[in-house]
Amino acid sequence: MKPLLTVTLALATLVGLSAQPARRRVTLVVTGGTVITQNAAHTILVPGAIAINGTDIIEVGTPAAIAAKYQAAETIDARDQIVLPGLINTHTHAPMVMYRGLADDLALMDWLQKYIFPAEAKTVSPELVRVGTRLAALEMIESGTTAYVDMYYFEEEIAKATFEAGLRGVLGETIIQFPVADAKTPAEGLARAERFIKEFKDNGLVVPAVAPHALYTNDKASLVASAELARRYGVPMIIHVAETEDEVRLAREQYQMTPIAYLDSIGVLGNTTIGAHGVWVNDADIATLKARGVGIAHNPESNMKLASGAAPVTKYLAAGVKLGLGTDGAASNNDLDMFEAMRQASFLAKHATHDPTAVPAQTSLDMATMGGARVLGMDRLIGSLETGKRADLITVSTRAARQTPMYDPVSHLVYVTRGDDVRTTIVNGKILMRERQLTTLDRAVVIADANRLAARVREAVSR
Ligand SMILES: [Zn+2]
């Protein structure tokens, strides 16, 4: 064996001397930007480069190292840009962009019961959901969101529009006690959810889910049936939890328990549960959420606008609860810009705790990336820029006056960047926006369609 090995080594040396080793062909290289990997060590490469082949990140390294090893079919020059994992919106109702600005400056229960539920009763249709989701997808792609969690009606329309737009989604069909546009009863909703799960369970971008709206809009049977359905198919369950003091009061009156304690007592909480808000929780609730592996979607802007309160972010993080950020529906925010969500998460925590060191910029960015990935149960696939993960990433321009000078890119991402600064959005290795040019959506058509349907919404609510 020994002589043979020597010959092989000698041959390799000869080949190495006579020609450059062949570079591996890959589909895409993003190079030259400040690369914020969001890996466990929080590595930042200045500058860095990312080699992508098909749907996956092949390697992250210096521009020179990546250029030496890979030959790309397409190269994105990211100089003067920050490259980071795509942002993950852990709670929204995508089609509600159609109700943006329809009713503002109200408390949650008034807002829901007097305006949103009646407006939805008159106007929700497959067409409105389709058109609204396309508008939401346009806004998300343009502002750097690459994955999102949704809860709405006609979720199959949302799933189709999300897939066509190229976004990643954990999409939950709503279960609710009163008659809604796509189901007259919770049983009908559950049957619809099951069909939806079967149809989309093998989709590469869409993860179907079941979404009982909240404990105050569902009885025990509906909540338990929703959790059972989710368990049977191994899909997430999405629910609003402990959003307002009113909800806590209701739960205490009806069940003599906090909302979290009640949901736990009926066995619906588990490690694929995504709980939106979690504002009004005590220490025992936080321990329960941690023990059950529930992920929490923190929505600072919606919570502030509806004066719902401030979620105990610092306590959640100290307890090791999976924590992501969300915008909530655009009717209570009023946009889907996750850069604002990061900024407001940081500000709200500081304001609420009277502690300027609470939720620093890095923590907000963590929640919007790896934290969100954990909430979705996808932390092995997305949330950071690392070899073997799906290529979900964005580039952000740093040329604006308000971003000059730049001492700390993470500070800039959280405290000055706006969605409009995003230049390129890539999901699953596919470019959805290149230098602000959309590739999967026709911007003019999406906006014209939304305005056409908005005329119907205006008409319906004025009657
Ligand atoms: Zn919500």
Side-chain angles (χ1 to χ4, degrees), residues 262-293:
Y262 173 68
L263 292 172
D264 193 43
S265 75
I266 60 171
V268 304
L269 300 180
N271 66 1
T272 54
T273 306
I274 300 172
H277 302 298
V279 174
W280 295 96
V281 290
N282 60 30
D283 291 350
D285 293 331
I286 292 174
T288 301
L289 293 169
K290 167 66 181 167
R292 301 287 174 255

Side-chain angles (χ1 to χ4, degrees), residues 397-406 412 416-418 421:
S397 170
T398 57
R399 289 188 194 129
R402 76 190 120 75
Q403 284 164 316
T404 309
M406 182 169 79
H412 271 20
V416 296
T417 299
R418 301 172 187 163
D421 297 320

